Amino acid sequence: MDRKGKGFTLLFLSPWLVGFLGFMLLPLLMALYWSFTNFDVLQAPQWVGLQNYVAIMHDATFWTAVRNTLYITVIGVPAGIIVGLGTAMLLEKPITGMGFYRAAIYLPAIVPPVAIAIIWLWILNPDYGLLNAILSVAHIKPLGWLADPYLAKISMLMMVVWGGTGQIMIIMLAGLKDVPMELYEAAMIDGAGWWKKFSRITLPMLGPVIFYNVVVGVIFYLQFFTQAFVVTANNLGAPVNSTLFYALYLYQNAFQFLKMGYAAAMAWILFIVIVTITLALFWINRKVVFYGGGQS
Amino acid sequence: MRRMIALGSAVVLMMSLAACGSSQNTASGSSKVIRLTMWQQWGGGHEQAALNKIIAEYEKIHPNVHITEIPVTNDAKILTAISGGTPPDIIDLGTSLELGQWASKGALMPLSSLAQRSHLNTGLYVPAGLKAVTYQGKLYGLPFMNFDAGLLYNKQLFLAAGLNPNNPPITTQQLQADAYKLTKVAANGSITQMGFLPQYPGQSNGQVTTLEDLGWVFGGHWYQNGHVTANNPNNVKALEWEASFYQKYGAQNVANFLHSAGAYLTSNDLFESGKLAMVYDGPWALDYAEANVPSLANNIGVAPFPAPASQPNLLGTTFIDTNPQVIPTGAAHPNAAFQFIKWETTNALVTSTFAALVYNLPQLKNVPNFSLANDPRFKVFMQEANSANAHVWPQLPVSTEYGIKLDEGQDAVLYGKTSAIQALNQLQTTMSAALKASN
C-alpha cells in the first residue's frame, strides 16, 4: 500500500479508532489505575496499592456475587444453546406458516431487555401471574419465583433464555443450512437413525456455530446486569442477595457506596477472568471442534 | 420520597402563587441575566407544572434570573456531572439519604456562610427537616416538603374482621393481634389477605428500610455519639418482632404475598386493592387512594404508629425526611441559586400551596392558610413531625451503604437465613469498620 493509500485507510478508520482509543482503551487504562487507588469519583484518587484487591478477596458479598454469576453462566449458556438449537431444528423443516413461527420466536430479540424484565415481572407474579395460573391447572401450589431465593435465579434465566432464543436460533438455522445433504443421504443409506444422524453429523458440523454461541454466551452471562437491575431496582440482589450478580455488585460499589476504586478493581478482575476463559475456550475449540473447510 | 399527584389543584396553585411575590421587593440591581439550571426529582406531571409556576413567579420578581428545571432522577448522572465539573446550579435531591455521603466527599456546597450572609433564619424550619439537611453541624441544603409516616388502616376490613374501626391499635402487641385477625390464608397455605406486612411498602415511601423505623419504634437507635449502634438491644427486639409475622405464616408465603403487589400507589398495590388492612405510610397515600379507589378513600383511618406497651411514650414514632434543595460543588451561580432556594423554602404561600398539592408536610413551622391543616387525618402526620419521636436517618459518610446493608440483614432474618442478633452483630462489625475507614 502506498503512502496515500495508508492515509485514506487511517482516515476511514478514524471514527472507530477515535472511539476505541477515547472511549474504550483510555477508560480501561484509567480503571486499571483507579483500581490501585481509593477513589470516590468526587475527590482525587489516593494510591493504595493492592488494598482493593486484597479487600475484595475477603469480601463475603463479593463471593456470593461470584457464585451467583457462575451459577447462571453454567446453566444459562447450555440452556440457551439447547433451546436455540431445538427451535432451529423444528423450524428448519418446511412447514406451513414457518415464516410466522420464525418471526414470532425471533421477536423477543428485538424487545429491549428492560421491557422484557417488566413483562416477566407480571408473568412471574405469584398472585396474578400467567405462569402460576398455568401451573395451577396441574394443581401446583403458587410459586414465589422472584420472591423465592432458590427460584429467583431460575426466574432470571427464564427471562434471558426467552429473550435470547431468537438470536441463537437464527445463527443455528444458518448453520443447519450449511450441513451438506450428502452426509445425511450417505448416513441414511448406511441405516443411521435420527440420533445417529444428529450426534454424528449435525452436531459436529455445527461445531463452529455452537462454539461461537458458547463464547458470546459466557461473556454475556459473566457481565449479566440489565434484567436483574430492573427486577430488583429497589433493593439490588433481592431476595437475600440471591440475584446479586457480579456486575450488579460492581455497580452498587461504584455508584451507591461511592467506592469507585474498589469497583474498578472488580472490573479488572472480571476482565482478566473473561479473557482467560475465552482463551481457554479457543484452546478447547482447536482440540475439539471440527471445521469442515479446514481451520484457517 | 415525595410521591404525590395533583388533583385539579394546579389551578388553585396558579392563582394563589400569583399573589406570592407581589409583596416582595424587586431587589435585583444588575441587568445581566443569570441562567440557573435546576435538576429536580419530582418528575413530570403536576409536580413539574407546579414547580414551573413557582419558578415563573420567582422570575417575575427577579427579572434578571432565568431558571430552567429538568427532571433528573439518576444519582449516577448527578455524580458524573459533579465530578465532571459541570453540575447544575440547584438539585432537588428528593431524599436526604445520600446527603451525608455526598457532603463528606465534597460534592455539595456547605451553605452555612451563604445563609449567614443573606440572613436566613433557620428557625423558620421544622427542626426535623433541618436535621435531615445537616451534616456534621453544617447546613448542606434547605428543606422543602417534609414527609413522615403513620398507621393507615382500612376500616372496611376492620369491620369485616369484627374489629372496631374507630379503635386502631396503640401498642405493637395489639397491632400484631389485630393483624393476625385480619389475615386470611387459603387452603394451600398461600396468603390472600394480610393485616400488616412490615416490609410493605418499605423503601418506596422514603424509608431506608422498614427496620430503620421499627428500631426507633422499639426505642432503639442506629448511631449515637459518633458510633454505629446497629446491634442495640431494642433494634434486635424490633427485628425479632418483624420476623414473627414471617414465622407465623411461613417466610416464603409472606414473601410471595409481598411480591404479588402491583406498583405502589396504584389500585393494584396491596393497600389500595384491599389485600392489606394496615400499612405504615405517609399522607400522600390518602391522596392517591382518593384518585384511584374513591370507595376506599373515606374508609381509611389514620393513627399514630403503635409503640410497645412498655414504652407508651413512643407512640407515633416515625422517620422524617425532606426534599433537600442543594447546591452542588462547582455550580456556576451559587449566590443566585441560594437566593432562589431561600425564597422557595421560606415563602409560606409557596409552601402551603405546594404541600397541599402533593400531600406533603410544610417544611415551615408557620404556614397560615394551609388548606390541609384542619384535615383530621393529615393532622396526625403534622403532629408526628413535630414530636420527639420523629427521627432522621443518620447523616454519615457511609449512610447509603449502612441503609443498604441494613436492608440486606433484615432480609436474611425475615427469610430465616440467620437470627436477628447475628445479623445485627454482623452489621455492627461491617459498618463500624466502614465508618472508621471513611474518616
Side-chain angles (χ1 to χ4, degrees):
Chain A
M1 203 188 297
D2 61 19
R3 219 195 174 110
K4 205 172 161 193
K6 254 184 198 158
F8 272 118
T9 312
L10 274 178
L11 178 71
F12 288 122
L13 269 177
S14 62
W16 182 86
L17 266 182
V18 170
F20 175 75
L21 294 176
F23 297 111
M24 295 281 286
L25 194 64
L26 182 69
L28 216 68
L29 295 176
M30 291 298 280
L32 181 61
Y33 165 65
W34 286 329
S35 75
F36 297 109
T37 66
N38 195 351
F39 183 43
D40 58 27
V41 200
L42 298 159
Q43 291 161 311
Q46 298 159 304
W47 185 265
V48 293
L50 286 171
Q51 196 180 298
N52 285 327
Y53 291 92
V54 174
I56 286 173
M57 292 302 127
H58 292 97
D59 180 351
T61 316
F62 169 83
W63 291 108
T64 306
V66 168
R67 271 196 304 275
N68 290 339
T69 310
L70 288 180
Y71 180 99
I72 55 156
T73 309
V74 167
I75 297 184
V77 173
I81 289 173
I82 290 168
V83 175
L85 179 58
T87 32
M89 288 172 70
L90 285 176
L91 292 177
E92 193 209 0
K93 311 241 152 53
I95 46 167
T96 30
M98 188 181 65
F100 170 79
Y101 292 125
R102 281 184 184 175
I105 288 176
Y106 188 73
L107 212 54
I110 57 167
V111 178
V114 174
I116 291 185
I118 305 270
I119 295 168
W120 275 85
L121 268 178
W122 280 106
I123 296 177
L124 297 174
N125 185 299
D127 202 10
Y128 312 103
L130 185 66
L131 193 54
N132 276 351
I134 294 169
L135 292 179
S136 73
V137 176
H139 299 286
I140 293 172
K141 194 190 148 178
L143 294 170
W145 299 115
L146 290 165
D148 185 324
Y150 300 102
L151 290 176
K153 277 192 275 281
I154 304 287
S155 306
M156 297 272 177
L157 279 171
M158 286 196 288
M159 256 179 239
V160 179
V161 169
W162 180 81
T165 296
Q167 202 85 43
I168 300 176
M169 176 197 74
I170 291 286
I171 301 170
M172 292 287 185
L173 265 176
L176 285 172
K177 293 273 177 228
D178 267 357
V179 182
M181 279 316 282
E182 311 90 85
L183 295 179
Y184 290 117
E185 284 160 9
M188 223 155 69
I189 292 164
D190 286 343
W194 175 88
W195 173 247
K196 270 264 151 62
K197 279 196 280 185
F198 174 75
S199 60
R200 295 296 171 87
I201 300 172
T202 315
L203 265 189
M205 293 303 286
L206 280 179
V209 179
I210 293 171
F211 169 70
Y212 166 81
N213 278 305
V214 169
V215 173
V216 172
V218 166
I219 294 175
F220 169 82
Y221 278 107
L222 290 177
Q223 303 183 24
F224 180 61
F225 180 79
T226 312
Q227 282 91 338
F229 184 72
V230 175
V231 166
T232 65
N234 271 340
N235 35 20
L236 298 182
V240 213
N241 281 347
S242 62
T243 64
L244 188 72
F245 300 109
Y246 197 98
L248 218 53
Y249 188 50
L250 194 159
Y251 172 90
Q252 191 168 55
N253 273 297
F255 292 106
Q256 291 185 324
F257 304 163
L258 299 186
K259 293 179 181 168
M260 197 54 86
Y262 195 90
M266 279 186 72
W268 262 87
I269 292 174
L270 181 62
F271 177 65
I272 290 166
V273 166
I274 289 180
V275 169
T276 312
I277 291 180
T278 309
L279 287 177
L281 283 172
F282 271 95
W283 183 79
I284 295 170
N285 166 48
R286 271 205 303 280
K287 301 267 161 199
V288 180
V289 176
F290 170 75
Y291 282 81
Q295 208 168 356
S296 56
Chain B
M1 213 158 286
R2 57 295 93 107
R3 318 228 125 266
M4 337 31 236
I5 207 169
L7 302 169
S9 8
V11 186
V12 181
L13 181 81
M14 202 187 333
M15 294 192 301
S16 47
L17 278 179
C20 285
S22 47
S23 61
Q24 306 234 351
N25 47 357
T26 347
S28 35
S30 151
S31 58
K32 207 175 143 232
V33 171
I34 300 172
R35 292 182 185 281
L36 299 178
T37 313
M38 176 184 194
W39 286 3
Q40 51 93 358
Q41 305 222 3
W42 297 96
H46 292 82
E47 296 94 333
Q48 188 179 28
L51 186 61
N52 273 310
K53 299 269 158 32
I54 292 175
I55 289 172
E57 191 53 42
Y58 186 77
E59 287 172 343
K60 214 190 287 170
I61 49 175
H62 296 88
N64 63 333
V65 177
H66 185 80
I67 304 174
T68 313
E69 56 77 28
I70 308 167
V72 176
T73 54
N74 186 326
D75 285 350
K77 205 179 228 170
I78 296 173
L79 284 173
T80 313
I82 297 175
S83 66
T86 54
D89 298 287
I90 304 160
I91 305 176
D92 178 329
L93 284 179
T95 150
S96 72
L97 212 62
E98 277 100 11
L99 187 124
Q101 183 168 324
W102 291 9
S104 76
K105 316 276 185 214
L108 307 177
M109 194 174 278
L111 302 181
S112 301
S113 61
L114 276 170
Q116 228 163 29
R117 235 180 297 151
S118 72
H119 308 292
L120 171 73
N121 176 10
T122 51
L124 295 171
Y125 299 120
V126 172
L130 201 58
K131 200 173 163 193
V133 292
T134 306
Y135 170 69
Q136 291 192 342
K138 278 194 207 149
L139 199 61
Y140 279 92
L142 298 184
F144 186 61
M145 298 297 113
N146 295 349
F147 47 97
D148 65 5
L151 183 73
L152 272 65
Y153 62 100
N154 184 327
K155 291 185 176 180
Q156 290 161 327
L157 296 182
F158 263 57
L159 268 177
L163 296 165
N164 182 349
N166 297 314
N167 199 9
I170 56 165
T171 69
T172 47
Q173 287 85 346
Q174 285 167 357
L175 183 144
Q176 194 156 44
D178 288 354
Y180 289 166
K181 282 182 204 152
L182 285 156
T183 301
K184 292 179 183 165
V185 182
N188 63 10
S190 64
I191 300 169
T192 56
Q193 179 185 312
M194 268 193 104
F196 183 69
L197 178 50
Q199 266 183 306
Y200 190 82
Q203 290 106 324
S204 300
N205 67 12
Q207 310 167 66
V208 170
T209 183
T210 309
L211 183 55
E212 170 203 20
D213 301 82
L214 291 178
W216 291 323
V217 166
F218 279 78
H221 42 75
W222 300 105
Y223 178 80
Q224 213 173 42
N225 307 326
H227 295 285
V228 170
T229 57
N231 59 355
N232 175 288
N234 287 328
N235 296 346
V236 178
K237 262 188 229 164
L239 184 49
E240 281 166 353
W241 183 78
E242 193 181 359
S244 60
F245 287 87
Y246 286 72
Q247 285 148 6
K248 172 140 176 110
Y249 299 106
Q252 196 55 55
N253 291 328
V254 177
N256 292 359
F257 181 74
L258 177 66
H259 271 252
S260 73
Y264 173 55
L265 300 177
T266 65
S267 57
N268 285 324
D269 88 9
L270 288 180
F271 188 66
E272 288 189 24
S273 62
K275 290 170 73 179
L276 185 62
M278 293 183 276
V279 70
Y280 175 73
D281 210 351
W284 52 87
L286 297 168
D287 193 31
Y288 275 92
E290 183 87 45
N292 301 334
V293 194
S295 62
L296 171 68
N298 287 327
N299 286 303
I300 299 175
V302 175
F305 195 81
S310 56
Q311 303 176 79
N313 57 319
L314 297 180
L315 182 71
T317 294
T318 179
F319 77 94
I320 184 159
D321 202 354
T322 191
N323 293 270
Q325 311 289 302
V326 304
I327 303 176
T329 307
H333 310 285
N335 289 314
F338 186 79
Q339 289 310 316
F340 172 71
I341 58 174
K342 181 192 166 193
W343 174 84
E344 177 198 25
T345 58
T346 55
N347 186 304
L349 197 49
V350 168
T351 302
S352 63
T353 35
F354 206 84
L357 185 77
V358 300
Y359 265 70
N360 271 24
L361 309 173
Q363 74 282 355
L364 295 171
K365 283 180 193 157
N366 209 342
V367 192
N369 306 321
F370 179 41
S371 62
L372 288 172
N374 296 318
D375 180 320
R377 293 190 295 187
F378 197 86
K379 254 193 205 161
V380 176
F381 299 101
M382 297 263 283
Q383 280 160 358
E384 277 188 355
N386 290 302
S387 95
N389 294 332
H391 299 275
V392 175
W393 183 244
Q395 295 293 9
L396 305 171
V398 291
S399 289
T400 319
E401 186 175 352
Y402 193 4
I404 289 171
K405 295 260 160 77
L406 176 65
D407 186 61
E408 276 174 21
Q410 169 189 256
D411 230 21
V413 173
L414 298 184
Y415 273 93
K417 304 272 180 203
T418 180
S419 71
I421 181 76
Q422 267 178 331
L424 292 178
N425 277 341
Q426 203 200 321
L427 182 66
Q428 177 72 30
T429 315
T430 315
M431 290 321 298
S432 297
L435 186 63
K436 212 170 163 191
S438 74
N439 285 329

